[in-house]
Amino acid sequence: MDGFTDRLQQLESDIIRDFDYLNYPAENWVKAAKGPTGEPVLDVAIIGGGMCGMAAAVGLRREGVLNFRIFERQDKGFEGPWVTTARMETLRSPKHLTGPHMGLPNLTFQAWYQAKWGWESWQALGNIPREMWMEYLRWYRKILDIPTENNVELLGIEPAGDLLKLYFRQGNTEFQQLTRRIVLATGRAAFGGTRLPAAFAGLPKSVRAHTEDDIDFTALKGKKVIVIGGAASAVDSAATALEAGADEVNLLLRAAEMPRLNKFKSTVYSGFLQGFFSADDETRWRFLQHGFGCKVAAPRGSMLRLKALKKAHIHFGSPAQEATVQDNKVVVTTPKGSLSADFLILGTGYAINIGDQPEFSSFADKVKLWQDQYSPPEEIADPELGRFPYLGGNFELLEKKPGEAPYLSRIHLFNAATTMSHAALSSDIPGVNVGANRLTAALVRSFFVEDSQKHLEDFYAYNDPELLGDEWTNED
Ligand SMILES: Cc1cc2nc3c(=O)[nH]c(=O)nc-3n(C[C@H](O)[C@H](O)[C@H](O)COP(=O)(O)OP(=O)(O)OC[C@H]3O[C@@H](n4cnc5c(N)ncnc54)[C@H](O)[C@@H]3O)c2cc1C
């Protein structure tokens, strides 16, 4: 065994010792619930076994909420975007950001990295290679023994009295599960899928893909490619296409020049992460409207990677007006003229549209959105921001009309759609710890309040004497 293996084993036994000191997992205290015909009921169903779903699970265990299951549609070890649809070489986040540590220094990326490769290597490390981040998440899942059930997809959610009925698919079979609450830790495309601008809607799928799709880049060898957009995923997809042997890539951007800032980088401080939810609606709206409005620059490393490949051409001020297929080529028309290619990749980001998210179909019209709550002054109007869910402090969906759909309070979003209400507490690495703590505290409170009469009865009935009666002598 080499020194590094010893160190990793030492770290793992330190973590187990830390858990022991913290009595982790705490004993379950939540009252067991049963379905109408006695069927088992979960306290929490977590959907998504990525970073956010795992952090939520750790928080629940720490607080003694043990009757939960995690359902994940991807294969084991392939949760989240990192080794599937992500195409950057390294993460954008600085390496020292702490991520889902849940209060334990030994669970940080830094602790894991240094155990595996040592302090000097840590000093020399630039940004975190994305495959390495996935390896860290796999280790996190293993050392925390997070019971993820892979290859299970949530299809739908329906109210069932005081419970929710969830519909799942696993391979060729479908099954249902009752739960008291659901946590949707479902990632970025979780509130309406990907954004497909109207100009491209008529293109057959054989000639177009979204960066969120599984793209066969080897098939682009020797081909011309058009990439729409200039954000990180567009730039990294362009670079991946050229590295796979594409002949030429043209990037079409609406913007007149390359966005150079990532405004949200300046929001990684405790006040913002902890306090954003409590700010008034207009302030929250202004932060997000300004941040999204400035666009988020692609990382410098991604741009340099693309530049080095030499065969990429960036066209500014070139919004696509029309896209058609002519003689097996995709032809995109912009105000500056037309360009043709063999294949088109949309780096157009994610949609926000509850009507397009299948699991919400039975109640989408009852969910309160920002547009139902707040009307911005004209100079900061933005219909897309208005379509974000207007969430409560527990990350729960709220009713558009009070009393119409009380079951919505049992549905907790812990994905990117929470950003307008809570900031990036369930969508980026720096906020996940604050988010998971807030979410689990909320769930714990809800379970206690909901069952408080039963807990009171237990309290009245409690009869476990501290003293046995033989500790003193009666003088009379
Ligand atoms: C390309 C890319 C690069 C990024 N780089 C950075 C970065 O450098 N720094 C940073 O801070 N953040 C970054 N992010 C943002 C963020 O950290 C990631 O999106 C991260 O994966 C978020 O974790 P998550 O658990 O919320 O979502 P995910 O990791 O996406 O996990 C969600 C999981 O839910 C599962 N799921 C979804 N729907 C269902 C369903 N119906 N049934 C069952 N399972 C379902 C998915 O399969 C997925 O595994 C990046 C995001 C992307 C897309």
Side-chain angles (χ1 to χ4, degrees):
M1 204 183 318
D2 58 52
F4 291 146
T5 313
D6 276 353
R7 273 208 307 249
L8 191 61
Q9 283 180 355
Q10 182 61 49
L11 177 69
E12 293 178 353
S13 42
D14 287 350
I15 290 170
I16 290 162
R17 184 207 56 199
D18 290 344
F19 286 159
D20 194 32
Y21 289 167
L22 291 169
N23 294 329
Y24 174 96
E27 211 175 309
N28 185 69
W29 56 270
V30 184
K31 297 285 172 198
K34 285 262 180 271
T37 54
E39 59 273 56
V41 172
L42 292 177
D43 290 328
V44 186
I46 299 177
I47 313 302
M51 174 180 75
C52 286
M54 291 200 289
V58 176
L60 288 177
R61 272 194 176 157
R62 186 186 61 193
E63 303 301 333
V65 180
L66 303 187
N67 177 25
F68 66 84
R69 286 170 75 181
I70 309 175
F71 302 101
E72 162 60 55
R73 69 178 167 205
Q74 298 277 27
D75 291 345
K76 181 175 179 185
F78 292 84
E79 301 83 4
W82 311 109
V83 288
T84 52
T85 54
R87 299 179 182 104
M88 66 284 187
E89 289 174 329
T90 64
L91 264 59
R92 181 197 285 269
S93 308
K95 63 182 177 184
H96 60 265
L97 286 182
T98 47
H101 62 83
M102 301 304 285
L104 289 185
N106 281 331
L107 281 178
T108 56
F109 176 82
Q110 184 174 173
W112 172 80
Y113 184 97
Q114 288 197 23
K116 267 180 91 78
W117 292 290
W119 186 83
E120 279 175 11
S121 171
W122 170 255
Q123 293 301 312
L125 179 71
N127 284 342
I128 302 170
R130 69 176 162 79
E131 293 90 347
M132 187 183 282
W133 179 254
M134 184 78 238
E135 199 187 333
Y136 161 71
L137 291 177
R138 287 175 185 149
W139 172 80
Y140 183 93
R141 167 172 156 166
K142 186 196 83 176
I143 190 69
L144 290 162
D145 189 23
I146 296 171
T148 317
E149 297 173 51
N150 287 88
N151 308 116
V152 183
E153 182 173 28
L154 175 77
L155 302 176
I157 307 171
E158 278 180 8
D162 285 342
L163 303 171
L164 298 169
K165 187 184 277 188
L166 308 182
Y167 295 82
F168 289 100
R169 178 168 41 222
Q170 182 170 30
N172 295 327
T173 57
E174 293 194 2
F175 67 95
Q176 297 165 15
Q177 170 70 55
L178 290 171
T179 187
R180 292 175 74 180
R181 293 181 178 270
I182 183 169
V183 169
L184 288 159
T186 38
R188 294 242 143 178
F191 207 74
T194 52
R195 197 186 281 144
L196 175 62
F200 306 103
L203 287 182
K205 287 200 171 158
S206 55
V207 294
R208 71 157 158 98
H210 192 279
T211 52
E212 188 77 5
D213 294 331
D214 181 11
I215 301 173
D216 178 8
F217 282 92
T218 58
L220 302 181
K221 190 167 181 194
K223 301 275 168 69
K224 282 187 167 188
V225 179
I226 290 175
V227 174
I228 306 296
S233 60
V235 172
D236 287 315
S237 294
T240 307
L242 290 173
E243 284 163 358
D247 203 30
E248 180 187 59
V249 176
N250 283 292
L251 283 104
L252 303 185
L253 277 73
R254 268 180 312 189
E257 54 186 40
M258 204 69 192
R260 293 197 192 186
L261 285 175
N262 174 6
K263 282 266 177 179
F264 293 107
K265 210 169 159 182
S266 72
T267 62
V268 181
Y269 57 94
S270 184
F272 189 82
L273 298 174
Q274 304 271 5
F276 184 81
F277 175 78
S278 303
D280 61 58
D281 291 344
E282 178 165 339
T283 305
R284 287 191 284 173
W285 182 283
R286 281 186 182 276
F287 265 111
L288 273 287
Q289 190 271 337
H290 182 68
F292 288 144
C294 289
K295 306 287 178 206
V296 177
R300 180 172 160 76
S302 298
M303 291 301 294
L304 292 176
R305 173 188 179 196
L306 187 64
K307 187 179 178 190
L309 291 161
K310 293 198 165 65
K311 291 177 177 173
H313 311 285
I314 304 180
H315 305 266
F316 298 105
S318 301
Q321 295 165 311
E322 197 188 15
T324 53
V325 178
Q326 295 168 23
D327 301 328
N328 291 325
K329 301 270 180 205
V330 190
V331 180
V332 180
T333 309
T334 77
K336 293 187 173 171
S338 293
L339 276 167
S340 79
D342 300 289
F343 198 72
L344 180 133
I345 299 175
L346 294 159
T348 45
Y350 305 96
I352 290 292
N353 194 348
I354 190 170
D356 288 338
Q357 194 61 35
E359 63 264 30
F360 298 138
S361 60
S362 71
F363 51 77
D365 58 331
K366 298 184 172 54
V367 174
K368 185 189 249 190
L369 306 177
W370 268 79
Q371 66 199 18
D372 303 315
Q373 171 74 18
Y374 173 68
S375 301
E378 193 154 352
E379 75 275 10
I380 54 166
D382 181 335
E384 180 154 290
L385 294 189
R387 293 197 297 272
F388 273 81
Y390 189 87
L391 300 174
N394 298 345
F395 293 96
E396 78 279 27
L397 294 177
L398 298 177
E399 301 161 283
K400 203 173 273 186
K401 286 197 198 132
E404 195 185 44
Y407 54 86
L408 293 180
S409 67
R410 300 183 174 280
I411 302 174
H412 303 263
L413 295 201
F414 202 51
N415 55 36
T418 65
T419 311
M420 271 298 288
S421 300
H422 284 266
L425 299 194
S426 52
S427 53
D428 287 329
I429 296 164
V432 62
N433 214 41
V434 175
N437 283 328
R438 183 176 298 174
L439 174 75
T440 47
L443 291 167
V444 163
R445 265 195 316 271
S446 306
F447 285 125
F448 177 76
V449 171
E450 216 168 301
D451 292 337
S452 54
Q453 286 311 307
K454 290 183 191 161
H455 288 293
L456 183 60
E457 280 163 29
D458 283 357
F459 185 64
Y460 287 146
Y462 180 78
N463 189 18
D464 187 5
E466 295 274 319
L467 299 180
L468 303 177
D470 58 358
E471 297 88 352
W472 70 95
T473 311
N474 281 338
E475 296 298 331
D476 320 319

